[in-house]
Amino acid sequence: MFFSEARARSRTWEASPSEHRMWVEVFKACDEDHKGYLSREDFKIAVVMLFGYKPSKIEVDSVMSSVNPNTSGILLEGFLNIVRKKKEAQRYRNEVRHIFTAFDTYYRGFLTLEDFKKAFRQVAPKLPERTILEVFREVDQDSDGHVSFRDFEYALNYGQKEA
């Protein structure tokens, strides 16, 4: 319940008018020749400007493979869709990180069974301890007694696909 609410909130997120304007301005700035689309290189620069990292070849290939071959690049609407999806994913990951950090009260970078018990007592006080143990064992993918952020994030994403 708690996790699915976080996921539902991130799905309904809308860009503010100022964010939308900024994305359009970045598109225009990267479309230096006023072609009406972003080339592969233009798109890389736009990602750096908006997200602060250079996208991998795989990421750029994935985006460019979805481009209409008649346009030679990413049109404004397509660009805005890509940015919106990336922002949604970024917001969701930040929410997952926030939840993980709330459970990791000792700031160790991993969760123990005791952390799970404490967290579940807060969000589902009547949940049997046996169920908490089962959840912990399932989330602890390498059975080392610790749930890393990666384990935690995977469990939340996997659980969303199952729901």
Side-chain angles (χ1 to χ4, degrees):
M1 177 180 76
F2 181 70
F3 301 127
S4 58
E5 288 173 8
R7 183 71 174 173
R9 276 196 312 273
S10 67
R11 284 189 187 138
T12 61
W13 175 80
E14 292 287 329
S16 69
S18 64
E19 279 182 307
H20 189 268
R21 277 192 304 277
M22 181 180 68
W23 300 348
V24 171
E25 289 303 314
V26 167
F27 180 91
K28 288 177 181 177
C30 293
D31 179 18
E32 292 177 343
D33 301 332
H34 306 291
K35 307 173 295 284
Y37 63 86
L38 297 183
S39 68
R40 179 183 195 86
E41 291 305 311
D42 297 337
F43 175 72
K44 288 183 195 177
I45 294 167
V47 170
V48 170
M49 290 173 72
L50 290 171
F51 297 96
Y53 76 93
K54 181 181 175 189
S56 69
K57 181 181 181 332
I58 293 169
E59 183 178 354
V60 175
D61 287 348
S62 172
V63 167
M64 297 310 287
S65 71
S66 65
V67 169
N68 181 339
N70 299 329
T71 61
S72 302
I74 305 165
L75 299 175
L76 177 60
E77 285 307 309
F79 176 74
L80 294 175
N81 265 344
I82 291 165
V83 171
R84 183 185 47 75
K85 288 177 185 172
K86 286 181 74 55
K87 285 287 185 181
E88 284 176 0
Q90 188 178 55
R91 287 176 57 91
Y92 174 68
R93 186 173 172 95
N94 288 343
E95 284 187 20
V96 171
R97 174 64 73 184
H98 182 74
I99 294 167
F100 180 85
T101 302
F103 287 6
D104 182 15
T105 56
Y106 296 105
Y107 306 105
R108 295 174 295 211
F110 60 85
L111 304 175
T112 63
L113 178 57
E114 290 307 312
D115 295 328
F116 256 63
K117 288 178 183 177
K118 185 177 177 184
F120 276 99
R121 274 188 230 116
Q122 291 175 350
V123 295
K126 295 183 180 180
L127 195 65
E129 193 163 322
R130 177 183 168 101
T131 304
I132 296 170
L133 179 60
E134 288 173 12
V135 169
F136 182 81
R137 285 182 177 156
E138 185 151 340
V139 175
D140 181 15
Q141 291 185 344
D142 58 6
S143 302
D144 65 352
H146 298 119
V147 172
S148 67
F149 176 71
R150 178 176 275 167
D151 291 340
F152 188 78
E153 183 179 38
Y154 176 82
L156 290 182
N157 290 331
Y158 178 76
Q160 289 299 313
K161 290 174 185 162
E162 291 293 307

